Amino acid sequence: MLDVSNRIGWLEGIIEAVHDGILVIDKDGIVQLVNEEYTNITGVRKEQIIGRPLTEVRPGALLPTVLRTGMSREGVFRKEKDLEYVVDMAPIYENGEIIGGVSVCKSVPEVYQLSLELRKNKQRINQLEKAIGRIHQVKYTFSNMVGENLRFKKVIKQAKKIAPTDLNVLITGESGTGKELFAQAIHHSSSRKAYPFVPVNCAAIPSSLLESELFGYEEGAFTNSKKYGKVGLFELANKGTLFLDEIGDMPIDLQAKLLRVLQEGSFRKIGGLKEEHIDVRIIAATNKDLLNMVKKDRFREDLYYRINTVHIAVPSLRERRDDIPKFVSSLINIQSEYAHFEIEEEVMKTLMQYDWPGNIRELKNTIHYAMNMAEHDVITFENLPETIKSLFQHQKGKPQSHQSLEELLRETERKAILAVLQETGLSVKGKKAAANKLGISLASLYNKMSKLQINL
């Protein structure tokens, strides 16, 4: 028999400390112990039940059956009037014999809440798994950087020197110069390389969504928000690196929130009440003049100096023309795994003279295009894209000194339009972007292209 009398003091202390409802019976089915939580869940007071047979006070109770069979039961739903609860039951053994039984109760609202929390955590794990799957894996290191240009080598040396630190970095340079390549290489050479490198293009995400992408949100934070909320990129990048590309396009109000994160090392989700502490290194990049934007109140001065702890200025391709042959050779080797391509001298001369407004990205696309157009594994002038061919064909046979002022102006205008189109693309969307860059309407661009015989 369960000798409760000798242990009543410490047993009562134990069961009162438990947040679940507890009821203990002896081998005869007499109730010996009940805690306060059991009373709260079932509505039965201690004086009504202790010392009495359980079946007498609680008709239909299943704990006596557990005594007889020795088999535990879990998750049994019970309802008494308006009270609903779930019960787990098990026999109590001593020296191999059943000497009593115990019931552990949880109210249905509590069970529901636990179930909700479990689903919420599962959803959070699923979100994290999906998001981690989208995390940009670092592919580039400093060993992938091609070039012997002295200015470029100086920039690499600077980047290598600051990579092992936790200093925030601002990388500037024209579009296509390889700013993300530098960001990845810096991350790979830092103590954070075992943790995530999370890139976000501030220009590609609508400003209305960028805040929720960066910081995440709690369930019900706004209409149509995801159930259980959303994990933000700052949280994903914890202990790693967050790469903010095109930071010059970040809305001014969001810049203030970013500044607070950098200052405090914590953030609050949209709709959240608690602060989330993070340890993230920021590498930002832009092709815009942020200092000029500061003067025009389009970029926060305090944020500019916070992210500009180290400034790395990546030179454009036209500033390192001496590296173009190396680039071309490297790109051909990468693209032609099984074939050996040769490049005519005229083509190389053209590539060296061209200004490359799209920089390395444009050169890569040009070589890829030319290789696909080439016959007999020899890249000729005719294999180059039309934008480049048109620019240099127009100059053939025309000595500069024999051109009139009108011809020079036409040629300069033609070059400018072709250069911008090469950067923005030849689709309607690309031409709209080109017109915007040139400060003219789309109709004016089409008229000029017609007059200058730019047939693209």
Side-chain angles (χ1 to χ4, degrees):
M1 182 174 180
L2 179 62
D3 185 8
V4 177
S5 60
N6 294 333
R7 315 177 215 175
I8 191 69
W10 61 268
L11 278 176
E12 285 187 338
I14 291 172
I15 68 170
E16 290 297 344
V18 177
H19 294 294
D20 298 328
I22 303 234
L23 175 142
V24 178
I25 62 174
D26 62 20
K27 69 176 183 178
D28 297 318
I30 307 300
V31 178
Q32 300 291 338
L33 289 173
V34 170
N35 70 351
E36 190 68 30
E37 190 63 22
Y38 183 88
T39 297
N40 295 335
I41 293 172
T42 65
V44 179
R45 297 192 304 274
K46 291 183 180 182
E47 59 269 23
Q48 292 178 310
I49 195 168
I50 291 178
R52 299 177 63 185
L54 180 60
T55 53
E56 181 182 303
V57 186
R58 308 285 285 168
L62 298 176
L63 189 55
T65 303
V66 172
L67 285 182
R68 291 195 301 271
T69 63
M71 297 179 64
S72 300
R73 301 193 63 172
E74 296 179 355
V76 177
F77 176 77
R78 297 300 304 271
K79 183 175 182 180
E80 297 291 338
K81 297 181 180 179
D82 294 330
L83 298 172
E84 297 178 333
Y85 54 96
V86 176
V87 187
D88 294 339
M89 293 166 278
I92 301 173
Y93 286 90
E94 186 173 79
N95 298 324
E97 293 185 6
I98 295 177
I99 62 169
V102 59
S103 290
V104 180
C105 310
K106 286 183 182 294
S107 66
V108 167
E110 183 181 1
V111 172
Y112 173 77
Q113 186 62 34
L114 289 172
S115 176
L116 194 66
E117 286 296 322
L118 180 60
R119 289 201 301 272
K120 184 175 181 179
N121 287 331
K122 284 183 177 178
Q123 180 76 11
R124 182 181 175 83
I125 290 169
N126 289 336
Q127 282 189 18
L128 284 168
E129 287 176 345
K130 290 178 181 178
I132 289 170
R134 295 196 302 266
I135 291 176
H136 192 91
Q137 299 298 314
V138 172
K139 298 187 295 185
Y140 300 108
T141 67
F142 287 114
S143 62
N144 297 117
M145 295 186 177
V146 176
E148 295 297 325
N149 176 269
L150 293 178
R151 180 177 174 184
F152 184 67
K153 290 177 75 174
K154 185 177 180 180
V155 174
I156 292 177
K157 183 179 180 180
Q158 178 193 13
K160 284 181 176 179
K161 192 169 184 178
I162 60 92
T165 73
D166 270 342
L167 297 175
N168 293 330
V169 181
L170 176 63
I171 305 174
T172 60
E174 296 178 8
S175 178
T177 51
K179 297 186 290 294
E180 184 168 350
L181 187 151
F182 269 90
Q184 290 192 32
I186 290 170
H187 173 78
H188 185 267
S189 296
S190 74
S191 59
R192 298 174 180 266
K193 68 179 181 180
Y195 296 97
F197 175 85
V198 181
V200 53
N201 189 316
C202 300
I205 302 174
S207 57
S208 58
L209 300 178
L210 187 55
E211 182 179 1
S212 64
E213 286 293 318
L214 288 174
F215 305 119
Y217 57 78
E218 295 289 356
E219 180 179 357
F222 48 82
T223 305
N224 297 326
S225 60
K226 288 183 179 180
K227 194 173 184 180
Y228 308 122
K230 178 182 175 66
V231 177
L233 297 177
F234 263 103
E235 191 173 355
L236 286 176
N238 194 31
K239 297 185 180 179
T241 301
L242 182 63
F243 176 53
L244 297 174
D245 198 9
E246 305 296 350
I247 194 171
D249 290 284
M250 180 176 286
I252 196 78
D253 57 329
L254 194 52
Q255 292 176 24
K257 295 182 179 181
L258 173 60
L259 177 65
R260 183 179 179 279
V261 176
L262 299 184
Q263 289 174 334
E264 304 295 332
S266 62
F267 69 96
R268 187 179 297 173
K269 289 184 176 182
I270 298 174
L273 299 176
K274 66 176 183 178
E275 292 286 320
E276 306 275 351
H277 294 279
I278 50 159
D279 172 21
V280 173
R281 183 184 195 178
I282 299 294
I283 300 180
T286 184
N287 58 8
K288 295 185 176 181
D289 185 348
L290 291 187
L291 200 53
N292 188 45
M293 291 178 67
V294 168
K295 294 176 183 177
K296 295 180 179 179
D297 294 327
R298 291 166 52 198
F299 199 86
R300 291 184 63 103
E301 183 177 15
D302 43 10
L303 177 60
Y304 172 77
Y305 287 111
R306 176 68 66 168
I307 63 175
N308 193 23
T309 309
V310 177
H311 180 201
I312 292 177
V314 183
S316 64
L317 188 55
R318 64 182 169 276
E319 293 174 296
R320 42 186 297 218
R321 294 181 191 271
D322 49 330
D323 279 337
I324 289 178
K326 280 185 174 293
F327 272 122
V328 172
S329 177
S330 176
L331 290 168
I332 288 176
N333 289 335
I334 292 171
Q335 296 290 342
S336 58
E337 185 176 355
Y338 302 107
H340 174 70
F341 277 81
E342 294 183 3
I343 185 165
E344 287 187 348
E345 184 178 346
E346 181 187 14
V347 175
M348 185 59 75
K349 182 179 178 181
T350 300
L351 299 179
M352 292 285 287
Q353 291 177 345
Y354 184 59
D355 277 345
W356 301 107
N359 291 289
I360 299 169
R361 185 183 296 119
E362 184 184 1
L363 176 60
K364 180 179 179 180
N365 292 339
T366 297
I367 297 301
H368 193 197
Y369 174 87
M371 289 172 65
N372 281 279
M373 294 296 105
E375 297 181 9
H376 311 299
D377 300 336
V378 177
I379 298 175
T380 67
F381 182 84
E382 290 303 315
N383 302 141
L384 295 176
E386 288 300 319
T387 48
I388 297 178
K389 282 197 301 184
S390 299
L391 186 63
F392 286 91
Q393 281 175 336
H394 188 69
Q395 296 176 355
K396 285 186 177 181
K398 275 193 174 184
Q400 189 74 16
S401 58
H402 293 169
Q403 288 180 296
S404 66
L405 178 59
E406 183 179 354
E407 288 175 320
L408 285 170
L409 290 173
R410 282 173 58 86
E411 183 176 327
T412 300
E413 191 172 25
R414 181 184 174 87
K415 283 183 179 180
I417 291 173
L418 285 168
V420 173
L421 286 172
Q422 180 70 18
E423 180 182 353
T424 62
L426 302 177
S427 65
V428 174
K429 184 178 179 181
K431 288 174 181 175
K432 285 182 179 178
N436 186 53
K437 281 180 173 286
L438 293 166
I440 59 177
S441 67
L442 182 60
S444 296
L445 175 62
Y446 279 122
N447 287 334
K448 287 179 179 294
M449 289 175 66
S450 177
K451 289 179 181 178
L452 296 170
Q453 298 180 338
I454 301 175
N455 301 315
L456 301 173

